[in-house]
Amino acid sequence: MGVCGYLFLPWKCLVVVSLRLLFLVPTGVPVRSGDATFPKAMDNVTVRQGESATLRCTIDDRVTRVAWLNRSTILYAGNDKWSIDPRVIILVNTPTQYSIMIQNVDVYDEGPYTCSVQTDNHPKTSRVHLIVQVPPQIMNISSDITVNEGSSVTLLCLAIGRPEPTVTWRHLSVKEGQGFVSEDEYLEISDIKRDQSGEYECSALNDVAAPDVRRVKITVNYPPYISKAKNTGVSVGQKGTLSCEASAVPTAEFQWFKEDTRLATGLDGMRIENKGRISTLTFFNVSEKDYGNYTCVATNKLGNTNASITLYEISPSSAVAGPGAVIDGVNSASRALACLWLSGTLFAHFFIKF
Ligand SMILES: *[C@@H]1O[C@H](CO)[C@@H](O)[C@H](O)[C@H]1NC(C)=O
Ligand SMILES: *[C@@H]1O[C@H](CO)[C@@H](O)[C@H](O)[C@H]1NC(C)=O
Ligand SMILES: *[C@@H]1O[C@H](CO)[C@@H](O)[C@H](O)[C@H]1NC(C)=O
Ligand SMILES: *[C@@H]1O[C@H](CO)[C@@H](O)[C@H](O)[C@H]1NC(C)=O
Ligand SMILES: *[C@@H]1O[C@H](CO)[C@@H](O)[C@H](O)[C@H]1NC(C)=O
Ligand SMILES: *[C@@H]1O[C@H](CO)[C@@H](O)[C@H](O)[C@H]1NC(C)=O
């Protein structure tokens, strides 16, 4: 029967059969006497994988035979070791207690263990469950990924642990508290938008140990979009700069045109400089022929866009005052004052004459 199936030595098998006849090996329904507290095994035992579990059974001096069983397999009968597993050792065998220890517990050790005793020729058993916990661990997670805007993305985060860990995904690149995006091993984003790019964090949580946390980066490609292109006024002989700012992933490359002519550094005392999102076209010494419309073209592998920017002439005086609305404001205010003063003197002059 079951018992012998687990044992390899025939003489032990024989002994089991005789043990069964004699006293304590349970044959199906565990024997529960009216004395519910005896033999008293401890409550369920919970240990982490890799730790040791102690199985304790409280007895008294009426007990004549004792054994600990793993399901229907005898581990120890009295001081005799039946298990061939070196991790199983006996701790205590006294008239009041009978305990064994399982070292380096693994998940397959989980299950019911039975303390079986014989008292006054009556077999009795007490059952304890060994529960094995495993800290959460992420086993398989998606790699960093680059996609085009509008496509669908599925991220995967597989975790093990006992109890089964809860897996959540969070978008880190958004404000605190708005980041929970999925309470599942799978994070699915359909029609992904550029603001959904960034770091995503997978967290596997059970109450055994600290959560296991890993990150995945999603890069969302999108075609260039020119966010800043401002017309600029410069007077002849001054330095003038046109600038064009484009957001794009991957970063845009820039070209400058005047009418149909592509411009390049070195032509007619101009220079083109590209720094990240911004391209500038600089004229070192603006002359009349430089005024006009320029086109900035921003291109990446997803497309291109352009903007027209005008370099226009301003009078040298306001150029000396410098650029910007504030300076301009001061300028007109002082002009108005001068005007007032002038009209005042003219008025006085008029009166003195008559
Ligand atoms: C208990 O029994 C299970 C199932 O047969 C086995 O996998 C496990 O190794 C046993 N554990 C001990 C400590 O005997
Ligand atoms: C012991 O564990 C078993 C199986 O998990 C469960 O059915 C039983 O209620 C538990 N007993 C106690 C006292 O926690
Ligand atoms: C992770 O999961 C994917 C999808 O289920 C599978 O193709 C891949 O082989 C797994 N990798 C590892 C290391 O388990
Ligand atoms: C700018 O160009 C004009 C005419 O071509 C020239 O007379 C002037 O010296 C130049 N100024 C500078 C600073 O190079
Ligand atoms: C320059 O562009 C502006 C607006 O895009 C347009 O109104 C104007 O006619 C253009 N000027 C020239 C000289 O092409
Ligand atoms: C600018 O864009 C318009 C329409 O988007 C296109 O017709 C034109 O050819 C572009 N100009 C350049 C210089 O690329």
Side-chain angles (χ1 to χ4, degrees):
M1 298 256 293
V3 175
C4 295
Y6 291 98
L7 299 170
F8 303 102
L9 305 171
W11 66 268
K12 278 201 173 177
C13 210
L14 230 124
V15 176
V16 171
V17 174
S18 44
L19 277 176
R20 171 166 290 162
L21 291 173
L22 278 175
F23 70 117
L24 43 72
V25 179
T27 55
V29 190
V31 186
R32 294 236 176 238
S33 66
D35 185 1
T37 59
F38 187 82
K40 178 105 176 70
M42 55 203 305
D43 291 337
N44 288 347
V45 179
T46 301
V47 293
R48 280 198 204 171
Q49 186 179 37
E51 291 179 346
S52 297
T54 300
L55 304 180
R56 230 176 258 122
C57 191
T58 304
I59 52 178
D60 66 19
D61 51 13
R62 290 175 299 154
V63 169
T64 51
R65 293 172 196 273
V66 287
W68 266 109
L69 290 83
N70 172 5
R71 295 177 180 85
S72 54
T73 307
I74 296 178
L75 299 176
Y76 265 94
N79 285 326
D80 289 340
K81 184 171 179 181
W82 287 58
S83 169
I84 54 166
D85 191 334
R87 299 173 304 138
V88 180
I89 58 175
I90 187 156
L91 282 185
V92 184
N93 184 6
T94 66
T96 54
Q97 202 192 96
Y98 183 56
S99 309
I100 61 167
M101 178 186 265
I102 304 167
Q103 296 168 325
N104 190 18
V105 165
D106 210 333
V107 292
Y108 52 75
D109 295 320
E110 183 164 297
Y113 287 77
T114 307
C115 172
S116 190
V117 304
Q118 182 179 271
T119 310
D120 311 329
N121 283 327
H122 293 295
K124 294 174 184 172
T125 64
S126 172
R127 180 172 277 199
V128 54
H129 277 267
L130 177 61
I131 294 160
V132 182
Q133 294 187 326
V134 180
Q137 192 189 348
I138 294 171
M139 298 306 288
N140 190 349
I141 186 162
S142 302
S143 319
D144 291 353
I145 185 172
T146 299
V147 296
N148 293 344
E149 194 170 42
S151 47
S152 297
V153 177
T154 303
L155 298 184
L156 161 76
C157 178
L158 296 180
I160 56 158
R162 277 171 177 246
E164 182 93 16
T166 313
V167 176
T168 54
W169 278 102
R170 195 158 68 93
H171 188 192
L172 294 180
S173 314
V174 300
K175 286 193 207 89
E176 194 72 30
Q178 301 179 354
F180 278 98
V181 288
S182 173
E183 309 239 327
D184 189 29
E185 294 169 328
Y186 291 90
L187 170 65
E188 289 179 36
I189 307 173
S190 53
D191 188 16
I192 194 165
K193 296 285 181 273
R194 60 194 72 175
D195 61 6
Q196 289 173 302
S197 66
E199 299 262 15
Y200 286 77
E201 185 181 86
C202 171
S203 160
L205 180 76
N206 67 13
D207 48 15
V208 177
D212 193 13
V213 171
R214 303 259 303 265
R215 288 181 182 185
V216 176
K217 189 177 176 191
I218 302 184
T219 303
V220 179
N221 287 336
Y222 59 91
Y225 157 78
I226 293 178
S227 49
K228 216 182 269 175
K230 223 175 88 208
N231 299 333
T232 305
V234 187
S235 58
V236 171
Q238 297 297 307
K239 183 177 169 184
T241 301
L242 297 178
S243 84
C244 176
E245 181 174 337
S247 66
V249 176
T251 309
E253 302 198 352
F254 293 93
Q255 292 175 333
W256 288 88
F257 291 87
K258 187 173 192 190
E259 271 104 49
D260 289 335
T261 312
R262 170 138 183 223
L263 306 177
T265 294
L267 283 178
D268 284 339
M270 62 177 72
R271 185 173 67 203
I272 295 172
E273 267 183 304
N274 300 323
K275 269 191 198 146
R277 304 154 56 99
I278 300 176
S279 178
T280 55
L281 172 61
T282 304
F283 304 88
F284 293 107
N285 181 1
V286 171
S287 64
E288 289 288 347
K289 68 170 171 44
D290 293 329
Y291 295 121
N293 281 348
Y294 291 81
T295 306
C296 157
V297 181
T299 309
N300 74 4
K301 62 182 181 185
L302 293 190
N304 67 77
T305 185
N306 65 57
S308 180
I309 310 176
T310 307
L311 184 69
Y312 59 91
E313 183 167 14
I314 52 174
S315 67
S317 60
S318 50
V320 169
V326 175
I327 308 281
D328 261 338
V330 169
N331 231 11
S332 47
S334 53
R335 248 182 254 141
L337 273 176
C339 204
L340 208 69
W341 175 81
L342 198 63
S343 52
T345 23
L346 279 175
F347 196 64
H349 193 68
F350 186 78
F351 265 98
I352 288 162
K353 266 220 160 148
F354 295 92

Short mmCIF file of all heavy atoms in Angstrom, two decimals, residues 27-76:
data_model
loop_
_atom_site.label_atom_id
_atom_site.label_comp_id
_atom_site.label_asym_id
_atom_site.label_seq_id
_atom_site.Cartn_x
_atom_site.Cartn_y
_atom_site.Cartn_z
N THR A 27 -4.47 4.66 8.66
CA THR A 27 -4.98 3.98 7.47
C THR A 27 -6.18 4.74 6.96
O THR A 27 -7.30 4.28 7.00
CB THR A 27 -5.40 2.54 7.82
OG1 THR A 27 -6.35 2.63 8.90
CG2 THR A 27 -4.25 1.70 8.23
N GLY A 28 -5.93 5.94 6.49
CA GLY A 28 -7.04 6.74 5.99
C GLY A 28 -7.40 7.81 6.98
O GLY A 28 -6.59 8.69 7.24
N VAL A 29 -8.59 7.75 7.51
CA VAL A 29 -9.05 8.79 8.43
C VAL A 29 -8.17 8.80 9.68
O VAL A 29 -7.99 7.77 10.33
CB VAL A 29 -10.52 8.51 8.87
CG1 VAL A 29 -11.07 9.72 9.62
CG2 VAL A 29 -11.37 8.17 7.66
N PRO A 30 -7.58 9.98 9.99
CA PRO A 30 -6.75 10.02 11.19
C PRO A 30 -7.60 9.77 12.42
O PRO A 30 -8.75 10.19 12.49
CB PRO A 30 -6.18 11.44 11.18
CG PRO A 30 -6.92 12.20 10.14
CD PRO A 30 -7.67 11.24 9.29
N VAL A 31 -7.02 9.05 13.34
CA VAL A 31 -7.78 8.71 14.54
C VAL A 31 -7.81 9.90 15.47
O VAL A 31 -6.79 10.49 15.77
CB VAL A 31 -7.11 7.52 15.27
CG1 VAL A 31 -7.99 7.06 16.43
CG2 VAL A 31 -6.87 6.38 14.29
N ARG A 32 -8.98 10.29 15.83
CA ARG A 32 -9.10 11.41 16.77
C ARG A 32 -9.86 10.89 17.98
O ARG A 32 -11.04 10.56 17.90
CB ARG A 32 -9.86 12.57 16.13
CG ARG A 32 -9.13 13.20 14.97
CD ARG A 32 -8.96 14.69 15.23
NE ARG A 32 -8.17 15.28 14.17
CZ ARG A 32 -7.02 15.92 14.39
NH1 ARG A 32 -6.55 16.05 15.62
NH2 ARG A 32 -6.37 16.45 13.39
N SER A 33 -9.18 10.83 19.09
CA SER A 33 -9.85 10.34 20.28
C SER A 33 -10.68 11.46 20.87
O SER A 33 -10.58 12.61 20.45
CB SER A 33 -8.83 9.86 21.31
OG SER A 33 -8.09 10.97 21.75
N GLY A 34 -11.48 11.15 21.85
CA GLY A 34 -12.28 12.17 22.54
C GLY A 34 -11.38 13.20 23.18
O GLY A 34 -11.74 14.37 23.29
N ASP A 35 -10.20 12.77 23.54
CA ASP A 35 -9.23 13.67 24.16
C ASP A 35 -8.60 14.53 23.05
O ASP A 35 -7.58 14.19 22.50
CB ASP A 35 -8.16 12.83 24.86
CG ASP A 35 -7.20 13.72 25.63
OD1 ASP A 35 -7.39 14.95 25.62
OD2 ASP A 35 -6.26 13.16 26.21
N ALA A 36 -9.26 15.64 22.73
CA ALA A 36 -8.89 16.44 21.56
C ALA A 36 -7.50 17.06 21.71
O ALA A 36 -6.90 17.44 20.73
CB ALA A 36 -9.93 17.52 21.31
N THR A 37 -7.02 17.19 22.92
CA THR A 37 -5.76 17.90 23.11
C THR A 37 -4.56 16.95 23.08
O THR A 37 -3.45 17.35 23.33
CB THR A 37 -5.76 18.64 24.45
OG1 THR A 37 -5.95 17.68 25.48
CG2 THR A 37 -6.86 19.68 24.49
N PHE A 38 -4.81 15.68 22.75
CA PHE A 38 -3.70 14.75 22.86
C PHE A 38 -3.64 13.78 21.69
O PHE A 38 -4.68 13.25 21.30
CB PHE A 38 -3.86 13.96 24.18
CG PHE A 38 -2.67 13.10 24.45
CD1 PHE A 38 -1.54 13.66 25.05
CD2 PHE A 38 -2.66 11.77 24.08
CE1 PHE A 38 -0.43 12.87 25.28
CE2 PHE A 38 -1.55 10.99 24.31
CZ PHE A 38 -0.43 11.54 24.91
N PRO A 39 -2.48 13.53 21.07
CA PRO A 39 -1.21 14.21 21.35
C PRO A 39 -1.26 15.62 20.83
O PRO A 39 -1.91 15.88 19.82
CB PRO A 39 -0.21 13.37 20.56
CG PRO A 39 -1.00 12.80 19.43
CD PRO A 39 -2.38 12.58 19.96
N LYS A 40 -0.62 16.52 21.49
CA LYS A 40 -0.73 17.92 21.14
C LYS A 40 0.41 18.32 20.20
O LYS A 40 1.54 18.46 20.62
CB LYS A 40 -0.68 18.77 22.41
CG LYS A 40 -0.74 20.25 22.17
CD LYS A 40 -2.11 20.82 22.53
CE LYS A 40 -2.14 22.33 22.38
NZ LYS A 40 -2.06 22.77 21.00
N ALA A 41 0.08 18.44 18.90
CA ALA A 41 1.06 18.99 17.97
C ALA A 41 0.88 20.49 17.98
O ALA A 41 -0.14 21.00 18.42
CB ALA A 41 0.83 18.45 16.57
N MET A 42 1.89 21.14 17.54
CA MET A 42 1.81 22.60 17.53
C MET A 42 0.84 23.05 16.44
O MET A 42 0.33 22.25 15.65
CB MET A 42 3.19 23.18 17.27
CG MET A 42 3.81 22.61 16.00
SD MET A 42 5.60 22.69 15.98
CE MET A 42 5.88 24.40 16.27
N ASP A 43 0.60 24.38 16.38
CA ASP A 43 -0.20 24.94 15.29
C ASP A 43 0.59 24.78 14.00
O ASP A 43 1.74 24.36 14.01
CB ASP A 43 -0.47 26.43 15.55
CG ASP A 43 -1.42 26.61 16.72
OD1 ASP A 43 -2.17 25.66 17.03
OD2 ASP A 43 -1.37 27.71 17.33
N ASN A 44 -0.05 25.14 12.91
CA ASN A 44 0.63 25.09 11.61
C ASN A 44 1.98 25.82 11.68
O ASN A 44 2.10 26.83 12.35
CB ASN A 44 -0.24 25.72 10.54
CG ASN A 44 -1.42 24.82 10.21
OD1 ASN A 44 -1.43 23.64 10.60
ND2 ASN A 44 -2.38 25.35 9.49
N VAL A 45 2.95 25.28 10.97
CA VAL A 45 4.29 25.85 11.00
C VAL A 45 4.54 26.59 9.68
O VAL A 45 4.37 26.01 8.61
CB VAL A 45 5.35 24.74 11.17
CG1 VAL A 45 6.75 25.32 11.19
CG2 VAL A 45 5.07 23.94 12.42
N THR A 46 4.93 27.85 9.80
CA THR A 46 5.22 28.64 8.60
C THR A 46 6.69 29.02 8.60
O THR A 46 7.18 29.61 9.56
CB THR A 46 4.35 29.92 8.59
OG1 THR A 46 2.99 29.54 8.62
CG2 THR A 46 4.63 30.75 7.34
N VAL A 47 7.40 28.62 7.55
CA VAL A 47 8.83 28.99 7.46
C VAL A 47 9.11 29.46 6.03
O VAL A 47 8.38 29.15 5.10
CB VAL A 47 9.78 27.81 7.78
CG1 VAL A 47 9.68 27.40 9.21
CG2 VAL A 47 9.55 26.63 6.84
N ARG A 48 10.21 30.18 5.91
CA ARG A 48 10.63 30.60 4.57
C ARG A 48 11.48 29.51 3.93
O ARG A 48 12.20 28.78 4.63
CB ARG A 48 11.50 31.84 4.66
CG ARG A 48 10.68 33.08 4.83
CD ARG A 48 11.53 34.26 4.47
NE ARG A 48 11.01 35.44 5.14
CZ ARG A 48 11.64 36.59 5.16
NH1 ARG A 48 12.83 36.71 4.60
NH2 ARG A 48 11.11 37.62 5.76
N GLN A 49 11.40 29.45 2.65
CA GLN A 49 12.24 28.54 1.87
C GLN A 49 13.69 28.72 2.32
O GLN A 49 14.17 29.84 2.46
CB GLN A 49 12.12 28.93 0.40
CG GLN A 49 12.83 28.00 -0.55
CD GLN A 49 12.62 28.44 -1.99
OE1 GLN A 49 12.59 29.64 -2.28
NE2 GLN A 49 12.47 27.51 -2.89
N GLY A 50 14.38 27.60 2.58
CA GLY A 50 15.79 27.67 2.99
C GLY A 50 15.98 27.66 4.49
O GLY A 50 17.08 27.37 4.97
N GLU A 51 14.91 27.96 5.25
CA GLU A 51 15.04 27.93 6.70
C GLU A 51 14.77 26.52 7.22
O GLU A 51 14.49 25.61 6.44
CB GLU A 51 14.05 28.92 7.33
CG GLU A 51 14.42 30.37 7.04
CD GLU A 51 13.42 31.35 7.66
OE1 GLU A 51 12.32 30.91 8.08
OE2 GLU A 51 13.75 32.54 7.71
N SER A 52 14.86 26.36 8.55
CA SER A 52 14.57 25.05 9.16
C SER A 52 13.21 25.09 9.83
O SER A 52 12.83 26.11 10.38
CB SER A 52 15.64 24.72 10.21
OG SER A 52 16.89 24.62 9.59
N ALA A 53 12.52 23.97 9.76
CA ALA A 53 11.22 23.87 10.41
C ALA A 53 11.30 22.84 11.53
O ALA A 53 11.83 21.74 11.32
CB ALA A 53 10.16 23.46 9.40
N THR A 54 10.80 23.20 12.69
CA THR A 54 10.75 22.25 13.81
C THR A 54 9.31 21.76 13.98
O THR A 54 8.39 22.57 14.04
CB THR A 54 11.21 22.95 15.10
OG1 THR A 54 12.53 23.42 14.91
CG2 THR A 54 11.18 21.97 16.27
N LEU A 55 9.15 20.44 13.97
CA LEU A 55 7.82 19.85 14.19
C LEU A 55 7.82 19.25 15.59
O LEU A 55 8.60 18.34 15.88
CB LEU A 55 7.54 18.78 13.12
CG LEU A 55 7.65 19.24 11.67
CD1 LEU A 55 7.35 18.10 10.72
CD2 LEU A 55 6.72 20.42 11.40
N ARG A 56 6.98 19.81 16.45
CA ARG A 56 6.98 19.45 17.85
C ARG A 56 5.67 18.73 18.21
O ARG A 56 4.60 19.13 17.75
CB ARG A 56 7.08 20.74 18.68
CG ARG A 56 8.17 20.71 19.73
CD ARG A 56 8.26 22.06 20.44
NE ARG A 56 9.37 22.85 19.95
CZ ARG A 56 9.26 24.05 19.42
NH1 ARG A 56 8.07 24.62 19.30
NH2 ARG A 56 10.32 24.69 19.01
N CYS A 57 5.80 17.69 19.03
CA CYS A 57 4.62 16.96 19.46
C CYS A 57 4.74 16.77 20.97
O CYS A 57 5.73 16.23 21.47
CB CYS A 57 4.60 15.60 18.74
SG CYS A 57 3.06 14.71 18.90
N THR A 58 3.71 17.27 21.69
CA THR A 58 3.73 17.16 23.15
C THR A 58 3.06 15.85 23.56
O THR A 58 1.94 15.56 23.11
CB THR A 58 2.99 18.36 23.79
OG1 THR A 58 3.60 19.55 23.31
CG2 THR A 58 3.08 18.31 25.30
N ILE A 59 3.73 15.08 24.38
CA ILE A 59 3.19 13.77 24.76
C ILE A 59 3.24 13.61 26.28
O ILE A 59 3.59 14.56 26.99
CB ILE A 59 4.00 12.62 24.08
CG1 ILE A 59 5.49 12.81 24.35
CG2 ILE A 59 3.74 12.62 22.58
CD1 ILE A 59 6.36 11.72 23.77
N ASP A 60 2.88 12.46 26.77
CA ASP A 60 3.05 12.19 28.21
C ASP A 60 3.55 10.77 28.43
O ASP A 60 3.79 10.04 27.46
CB ASP A 60 1.74 12.48 28.98
CG ASP A 60 0.63 11.51 28.59
OD1 ASP A 60 0.95 10.42 28.03
OD2 ASP A 60 -0.54 11.84 28.80
N ASP A 61 3.71 10.39 29.66
CA ASP A 61 4.41 9.13 29.92
C ASP A 61 3.54 7.89 29.69
O ASP A 61 4.00 6.77 29.83
CB ASP A 61 5.05 9.12 31.32
CG ASP A 61 4.04 9.51 32.37
OD1 ASP A 61 2.83 9.54 32.05
OD2 ASP A 61 4.46 9.80 33.50
N ARG A 62 2.27 8.09 29.31
CA ARG A 62 1.47 6.93 28.95
C ARG A 62 1.80 6.47 27.52
O ARG A 62 1.44 5.39 27.10
CB ARG A 62 -0.03 7.27 28.99
CG ARG A 62 -0.58 7.49 30.39
CD ARG A 62 -2.02 7.94 30.31
NE ARG A 62 -2.15 9.21 29.60
CZ ARG A 62 -3.25 9.58 28.97
NH1 ARG A 62 -4.31 8.79 28.89
NH2 ARG A 62 -3.30 10.77 28.37
N VAL A 63 2.48 7.35 26.77
CA VAL A 63 2.79 7.05 25.39
C VAL A 63 3.88 5.98 25.31
O VAL A 63 4.92 6.08 25.96
CB VAL A 63 3.25 8.33 24.66
CG1 VAL A 63 3.83 8.02 23.29
CG2 VAL A 63 2.08 9.30 24.55
N THR A 64 3.62 4.96 24.53
CA THR A 64 4.60 3.88 24.41
C THR A 64 5.35 3.92 23.09
O THR A 64 6.49 3.48 23.00
CB THR A 64 3.90 2.52 24.55
OG1 THR A 64 2.79 2.49 23.65
CG2 THR A 64 3.44 2.31 25.98
N ARG A 65 4.72 4.44 22.03
CA ARG A 65 5.41 4.54 20.74
C ARG A 65 5.08 5.87 20.08
O ARG A 65 3.97 6.38 20.22
CB ARG A 65 4.98 3.40 19.81
CG ARG A 65 5.43 2.05 20.28
CD ARG A 65 4.82 0.97 19.42
NE ARG A 65 4.92 -0.33 20.05
CZ ARG A 65 5.99 -1.14 19.91
NH1 ARG A 65 7.00 -0.76 19.17
NH2 ARG A 65 6.01 -2.30 20.51
N VAL A 66 6.05 6.39 19.35
CA VAL A 66 5.87 7.69 18.70
C VAL A 66 6.44 7.64 17.28
O VAL A 66 7.37 6.87 17.01
CB VAL A 66 6.57 8.82 19.48
CG1 VAL A 66 5.83 9.16 20.74
CG2 VAL A 66 8.02 8.47 19.76
N ALA A 67 5.87 8.47 16.41
CA ALA A 67 6.41 8.58 15.05
C ALA A 67 5.98 9.92 14.45
O ALA A 67 4.93 10.47 14.80
CB ALA A 67 5.93 7.44 14.17
N TRP A 68 6.81 10.43 13.54
CA TRP A 68 6.43 11.60 12.73
C TRP A 68 6.34 11.12 11.28
O TRP A 68 7.23 10.43 10.79
CB TRP A 68 7.47 12.72 12.81
CG TRP A 68 7.17 13.74 13.87
CD1 TRP A 68 7.84 13.94 15.03
CD2 TRP A 68 6.15 14.75 13.81
NE1 TRP A 68 7.31 14.98 15.74
CE2 TRP A 68 6.25 15.51 15.00
CE3 TRP A 68 5.14 15.08 12.90
CZ2 TRP A 68 5.41 16.58 15.29
CZ3 TRP A 68 4.31 16.16 13.19
CH2 TRP A 68 4.45 16.89 14.38
N LEU A 69 5.27 11.50 10.61
CA LEU A 69 5.08 11.10 9.22
C LEU A 69 4.91 12.32 8.32
O LEU A 69 4.33 13.34 8.73
CB LEU A 69 3.82 10.23 9.07
CG LEU A 69 3.84 8.84 9.66
CD1 LEU A 69 3.51 8.88 11.14
CD2 LEU A 69 2.82 7.96 8.94
N ASN A 70 5.42 12.17 7.09
CA ASN A 70 5.18 13.16 6.04
C ASN A 70 4.15 12.51 5.13
O ASN A 70 4.44 11.55 4.43
CB ASN A 70 6.50 13.42 5.30
CG ASN A 70 6.34 14.29 4.08
OD1 ASN A 70 5.26 14.80 3.80
ND2 ASN A 70 7.44 14.46 3.34
N ARG A 71 2.94 13.02 5.15
CA ARG A 71 1.82 12.36 4.48
C ARG A 71 1.76 10.91 5.02
O ARG A 71 1.61 10.75 6.23
CB ARG A 71 1.96 12.41 2.96
CG ARG A 71 1.88 13.85 2.46
CD ARG A 71 2.09 14.00 0.98
NE ARG A 71 1.99 15.40 0.61
CZ ARG A 71 2.98 16.27 0.66
NH1 ARG A 71 4.18 15.89 1.09
NH2 ARG A 71 2.81 17.53 0.34
N SER A 72 1.98 9.91 4.18
CA SER A 72 1.90 8.55 4.73
C SER A 72 3.27 7.91 4.90
O SER A 72 3.39 6.72 5.15
CB SER A 72 0.99 7.70 3.82
OG SER A 72 1.47 7.77 2.51
N THR A 73 4.32 8.72 4.73
CA THR A 73 5.67 8.18 4.84
C THR A 73 6.23 8.45 6.24
O THR A 73 6.20 9.59 6.70
CB THR A 73 6.59 8.85 3.81
OG1 THR A 73 6.00 8.74 2.53
CG2 THR A 73 7.97 8.21 3.81
N ILE A 74 6.75 7.41 6.87
CA ILE A 74 7.35 7.60 8.19
C ILE A 74 8.69 8.31 8.04
O ILE A 74 9.53 7.90 7.23
CB ILE A 74 7.56 6.25 8.89
CG1 ILE A 74 6.19 5.58 9.14
CG2 ILE A 74 8.31 6.42 10.21
CD1 ILE A 74 6.32 4.21 9.78
N LEU A 75 8.86 9.38 8.80
CA LEU A 75 10.17 10.05 8.82
C LEU A 75 11.01 9.47 9.95
O LEU A 75 12.16 9.10 9.77
CB LEU A 75 9.98 11.56 9.00
CG LEU A 75 9.18 12.27 7.90
CD1 LEU A 75 8.98 13.74 8.27
CD2 LEU A 75 9.88 12.16 6.56
N TYR A 76 10.41 9.45 11.12
CA TYR A 76 11.06 8.88 12.30
C TYR A 76 10.05 8.03 13.05
O TYR A 76 8.88 8.43 13.20
CB TYR A 76 11.54 9.99 13.26
CG TYR A 76 13.00 10.36 13.05
CD1 TYR A 76 13.35 11.40 12.21
CD2 TYR A 76 14.02 9.65 13.71
CE1 TYR A 76 14.68 11.75 12.02
CE2 TYR A 76 15.35 9.98 13.51
CZ TYR A 76 15.68 11.02 12.67
OH TYR A 76 16.98 11.35 12.49
#
